[in-house]
Structures are given as structure tokens and as C-alpha cells.
Amino acid sequence: MAEVTASRKYAAEFIGTAALVIGGPGTAAATFMIAKSTGVAFSMAQLGVISFAFMLVIVAMIYTIGHISGCHINPAVTLALAVAKKAPWSDVPGYLAAQFLGGTAGAFAIWGILGKPGIDAGLGVLSYTPGNTGHAFFAELIGTFLLVLVVFGTATDSRATPGWYGLAIPSVVFAVITVVGPVTGAALNPARYIGPMIARAALGGGDGLLWGQVPTYFIATFLAGLIAAAVYAFLGGVRTAPDASREASAERVSVAS
């Protein structure tokens, strides 16, 4: 099979990340719009719908662009894969640019669909309670760590059960959002986080945006990806041929004696 060109990979990552933002944060904005007009209190039922929307769009994108770009659609995943030598460093700048641009384009698309009520409903922007930085950082760290760990265990290891990564990865996203969502909104993805903020500010809804929280989300998600890469390098490590040879030699000596 002919190798996919870099431009096509970047285009796939742009489209995939935009679709993630439309399907995930877009559902959140639509849910808040409905809640505002009907007076229905936000509950686990609404959070479950939002989580399920994220899960479904990730499933769809994995099977749509996974064979083109790998369907990272998350800068934290891309960086972790590069550090672990599962993806070439030469792809990193283009992938990250495509993902951040895609996240922003997806947020503008939410506005194109929902209009001003979508901006008033937040456009999918996330934040945590001021003064709760420690819990927010830990929540994003653990949530993103679990996501990236599942990526490594199911999509990068040839020993994994074939074909299940397309369900395993979205499933852990669903599970994590239901726990982390009430604390930070569960970004788990720097592009998903910053895209709606940029779009909302550009569209005149920037009042009240907590730009000071950006480092918390960015550091926690990128750091979590690197930790997950290191942990899976330990968990998934196999013995090298020299080690196996030494063990065989030791066994032969034991038998001979």
C-alpha cells in the first residue's frame, strides 16, 4: 500500500479534531441551550449524553481516519507517541498545528450551527471553580493518563487483542468524562480545550473566560501523556533476546550439573 502523504495526514487530523469538537463540546453547548430554555437542572443524565456523544464521535473518527493519520486528534497523544518512538518526530509539528486549528474550526462550526444561543451557552468552553486548581490539575492528569494508557495498550502494541482499540479508547473517554466532568469539564485534550475558548473570544463572548486556567489544563494533559508513555513502556516491556539467551544458558548449566 502506498504511503500516505504528510499533507493528507495533517488534513485528516484537522478534520478529525474538528469533528471531535463539533460532536463533543457541540453537544455540551446544545445541552446547556436546552436546559436554559426549559429550566431543566443539569444532572448526570445530561453529563451521560455528552459523554456518549464524545464516545460515538471518537469511534467514528477512528474508523474514518485511523488508517490515514492514526487518528490521534489530541496533541497530548501525539507528543506521547513521539516520545515513545511510536510516531516520527517529523510529524509532530504538523499534527499539533492541524489539531489546534481543527479544534478551533470545530468550535466556530458549533457557532455556525447553534448561532448566538450557542455562544451564550458557552460554546463548549471549560473551566473549574477558582481556588480548586489542585483538584482540577489532578483530575485532568488522571483522566488523560488513563486515556493515553489505553491508546498505548490497545493501538500500539501488536500483542493486544486485534480490532478492539476502536471501542476501548472511546469507552475510557466515556468513563473518564463521567467522573472528571463535574470538576473540570474533562478536557483530556489541549486542542479540544483551547479551540472553544479562541472561538468564543473571537465571536464576542470573551467576557468571563478564565485564561489563567490555561496552564493547568495544558500542563496536566501533556504531562499525563508523557507519564502514560513511561508507564506503558514498563508495563508492556518484553525481555530482549540477550536476556532470554542468558536464561536458557543458566537452565542448561543447571541441568548439566
Side-chain angles (χ1 to χ4, degrees):
M1 184 173 66
E3 184 178 352
V4 179
T5 62
S7 61
R8 288 176 177 161
K9 291 179 182 178
Y10 303 155
E13 287 296 306
F14 174 87
I15 292 170
T17 311
L20 172 68
V21 171
I22 294 169
T27 298
T31 300
F32 287 122
M33 274 179 55
I34 294 170
K36 186 175 181 180
S37 63
T38 61
V40 176
F42 190 84
S43 69
M44 184 58 77
Q46 285 81 8
L47 181 59
V49 169
I50 295 168
S51 303
F52 194 51
F54 271 99
M55 178 180 178
L56 291 181
V57 74
I58 294 171
V59 170
M61 288 301 104
I62 285 174
Y63 291 112
T64 301
I65 65 170
H67 53 286
I68 298 172
S69 68
C71 191
H72 300 183
I73 61 175
N74 186 333
V77 170
T78 296
L79 185 61
L81 291 173
V83 168
K85 299 181 180 179
K86 301 290 185 180
W89 277 102
S90 59
D91 280 349
V92 172
Y95 269 53
L96 264 58
Q99 290 156 0
F100 281 115
L101 289 172
T104 304
F108 276 106
I110 296 172
W111 166 71
I113 296 167
L114 301 179
K116 189 176 184 304
I119 299 175
D120 295 339
L123 212 65
V125 168
L126 302 179
S127 65
Y128 57 85
T129 304
N132 200 35
T133 301
H135 290 293
F137 185 91
F138 188 71
E140 287 294 320
L141 184 76
I142 292 299
T144 310
F145 168 80
L146 292 174
L147 164 60
V148 180
L149 187 70
V150 172
V151 170
F152 272 88
T154 62
T156 72
D157 195 328
S158 61
R159 297 167 297 168
T161 304
W164 284 96
Y165 61 89
L167 182 60
I169 296 168
S171 294
V172 76
V173 170
F174 178 93
V176 165
I177 290 175
T178 60
V179 180
V180 176
V183 181
T184 64
L188 317 178
N189 182 332
R192 174 265 175 269
Y193 168 73
I194 202 67
M197 289 189 72
I198 293 172
R200 185 175 167 186
L203 293 167
D207 290 344
L209 289 178
L210 301 177
W211 292 101
Q213 294 184 357
V214 172
T216 300
Y217 282 93
F218 269 50
I219 295 172
T221 51
F222 276 118
L223 179 60
L226 300 180
I227 294 173
V231 169
Y232 197 77
F234 169 73
L235 293 179
V238 295
R239 298 178 192 173
T240 61
D243 289 335
S245 298
R246 281 195 294 271
E247 183 175 318
S249 298
E251 184 178 355
R252 285 195 297 271
V253 170
S254 177
V255 171
S257 61

